[in-house]
Amino acid sequence: MITDQDIAEAEARVRQIKERGVRLRMANRDETADAIRLEVGRLEELKESKAAQDAALKVRKAAEKPHTPELKKMSAELSDSADIADKARQDAIHALEKLVFALRGYNDTVRAAHARLTTLGLTLADGDAEYDSGHGRAGSARIAGTDWASVAEDVVVQIVVADVMKQLFGPKHPAARVRDIRAHSLARGSAGALKIA
């Protein structure tokens, strides 16, 4: 869109070239004249284009005028719809934040159980024997036969997003698959009773 500022800048360029020609005392007169003609030509083209643009805008405004009430109603509906979508986006962010905080709490609880089982001297494997309760490697714990292990919060978030994308856009959508290798261990159930896959 051509603005009045564009015209003013083009006029300023013409003035600068003319002033430079005067300062040079007409040395290289042909080059200066050519440069002035070129800039004046560009200025005239710009003015013609702006006049055509302004005329087209005037015609367009006249065509829109009878539809003003309907356009205002559409604008209000679009604004309301955008507000609802933005609120839903913010709610989704808060829900994912809540999920991450809950997972961090879970991981803290697993670490605490592991530490306590370690303090109690209860290991999971003693030679070939396996026990119903005890601490395992990599911070895991087993209580009454149920294994508990920390989970990668970011991978769980990826899995949740992938599940939503799969449900809404189909399994072939690029975001419907988690390519993070850590997701495979979560899917195999190393998260204990935490059902994330």
Side-chain angles (χ1 to χ4, degrees):
M1 180 171 229
I2 301 167
T3 65
D4 291 334
Q5 179 68 27
D6 296 328
I7 300 294
E9 288 172 3
E11 289 172 339
R13 282 192 299 274
V14 169
R15 281 193 304 278
Q16 288 171 347
I17 289 176
K18 285 181 179 179
E19 289 169 3
R20 187 176 61 187
V22 170
R23 279 196 313 272
L24 293 174
R25 299 191 199 314
M26 303 308 275
N28 300 323
R29 273 189 260 176
D30 291 340
E31 288 178 23
T32 302
D34 288 345
I36 290 171
R37 272 194 296 278
L38 181 64
E39 283 303 320
V40 167
R42 288 179 181 161
L43 174 61
E44 292 305 317
E45 285 178 19
L46 197 59
K47 284 181 176 179
E48 288 173 14
S49 295
K50 181 156 184 356
Q53 170 189 287
D54 291 347
L57 285 173
K58 193 174 183 180
V59 168
R60 180 56 183 251
K61 284 185 180 180
E64 287 178 6
K65 191 171 184 175
H67 307 289
T68 299
E70 184 180 359
L71 293 173
K72 283 183 179 178
K73 181 181 176 195
M74 276 193 277
S75 178
E77 289 170 350
L78 287 165
S79 179
D80 291 346
S81 181
D83 288 345
I84 290 167
D86 189 55
K87 170 89 171 73
R89 180 188 62 81
Q90 291 173 15
D91 290 346
I93 290 169
H94 294 308
L96 290 175
E97 288 172 346
K98 186 176 178 181
L99 172 62
V100 169
F101 291 133
L103 291 169
R104 287 179 181 166
Y106 164 78
N107 286 339
D108 290 343
T109 305
V110 170
R111 281 191 287 277
H114 180 271
R116 182 63 182 144
L117 291 168
T118 302
T119 302
L120 296 172
L122 300 175
T123 60
L124 279 181
D126 186 8
D128 291 334
E130 291 216 4
Y131 303 108
D132 286 339
S133 297
H135 67 85
R137 289 176 282 153
S140 66
R142 180 179 295 157
I143 308 290
T146 300
D147 290 324
W148 302 91
S150 296
V151 295
E153 298 110 4
D154 59 329
V155 175
V156 176
V157 169
Q158 292 175 53
I159 291 170
V160 168
V161 171
D163 285 345
V164 171
M165 297 304 285
K166 193 181 302 178
Q167 289 172 19
L168 297 178
F169 299 103
K172 293 189 179 186
H173 191 280
R177 285 184 248 146
V178 179
R179 288 176 175 79
D180 194 316
I181 195 158
R182 296 172 296 165
H184 300 297
S185 63
L186 290 176
R188 283 196 311 267
S190 68
L194 184 63
K195 305 298 183 210
I196 52 89

